[in-house]
Amino acid sequence: MDRKPVIFSGIQPTGTFTLGNYMGAIKNWVKLQDDYRCVYSVVDLHSVTIRQEPKILRENTMRAYALLLACGVDPEKSVLFVQSHVPTHAEAAWLLGCYTPYGELGRMTQFKDKSAAHSENINAGLFTYPVLQIADILLYNASLVPVGEDQRQHLELSRNTAIRFNGIYGDTFVVPEPYIQKEGGKIMSLQEPAKKMSKSDATPKAYISVLDPPDTMIKKFKSAVTDSGTDVAYRPGKDGVNNLITIYGLITGKTIEETEAEFKGKGYGDFKLAVGEAVANHLKPVQDEYYRLMDDRAYLEACWKQGAEKAFAISSRTLEKARKKVGLLKR
Ligand code: ATP
Ligand code: LTN
């Protein structure tokens, strides 16, 4: 039997993925597929914590699914499914919510940020959002969770809940660890480089969408906020240039020193153009594959149906185990 450790991760269908999502998370999802049993999900239930237009949510969910395939998630190697297609997640979230303290949930910075940004709709789902994430992870007994830096706190919470449950009932869940890369774990906004790049940013110039046409990407990089200096050098406090050097390194495989040497004596203008071109060239095959897949709805549907069946089979075994431990009568 295949005894490789399990990986789980999820992404919300709240818009087209940014270069931040790609570098911080999806690139790792693809890389890890050969060495782990990977389970990945488009977490549509998480995205309804913010009000969504029904038609757009449906489209975004399909697009997110196709884009993950286009980025290289292979449905033959990994399980790729839509969260709401698998009912065990919502059920496990109820149970695990009863083992997650109210006080810990109130300390989550994502909750504080999102309640501030959507003060007209601070619903209970926004507050219990991390519990659904805990359910996602624990149901598959995932030992590693590839995410960006912003998710570290949610991962810590998942560990606490798993440890608490195991402490009461004996070994039930695997205690997960975050998998966050040092470089690229936090790609910054192109307009406010002290803030993370986010797909829900109101300023499109602040982020690179992986589906932006090449000339749009290049334009966005050209207008990226840097500083009044001219040297392409990685220095503390120069968030804008540092971010571009990080992106360039992730795409080309070059170290900071190699990039600094390559652009010695050249200004920011040349450098920004080179970063833009490198990113655009890198994402071209992803874009081509995405548009091909979006024309093949039957294939996409077959894929997410199969993904949901596999995910249900795995997650219902874990859920049954937890139900039994808690004392719920066998159904
Ligand atoms: P939203 O703007 O809707 O809150 P988001 O862009 O933050 O969304 P998510 O769907 O919440 O994206 O996150 C998907 C994955 O991408 C997570 O693992 C998250 O940590 C990672 N991620 C998001 N933004 C960045 C970033 N700027 N740099 C690196 N990783 C990121
Ligand atoms: N909360 C995450 C998305 C997410 C997730 C997960 C990530 C939902 N369920 C399980 C890893 C594992 C976010 O906001 N990026």
Side-chain angles (χ1 to χ4, degrees), residues 12 14 20-21 114 147-148 150 185 187 196-200:
Q12 299 186 72
T14 40
N21 299 133
K114 296 223 165 167
V147 283
D150 61 305
I187 298 294
K196 79 156 192 158
M197 185 182 283
S198 171
K199 58 175 134 61
S200 53

Side-chain angles (χ1 to χ4, degrees), residues 214-227:
D215 51 334
T216 307
M217 286 189 191
I218 291 171
K219 240 187 250 155
K220 286 182 179 177
F221 276 112
K222 277 189 180 163
S223 65
V225 169
T226 38
D227 52 74

Side-chain angles (χ1 to χ4, degrees), residues 84-126:
S84 69
H85 292 176
V86 182
T88 45
H89 290 244
E91 187 179 342
W94 176 261
L95 265 191
L96 292 165
C98 300
Y99 300 86
T100 306
Y102 176 86
E104 283 188 25
L105 286 173
R107 283 200 287 276
M108 296 295 110
T109 51
Q110 184 172 308
F111 170 67
K112 292 185 201 163
D113 292 349
K114 296 223 165 167
S115 346
H118 303 273
S119 54
E120 74 302 340
N121 179 26
I122 307 179
N123 59 74
L126 198 60

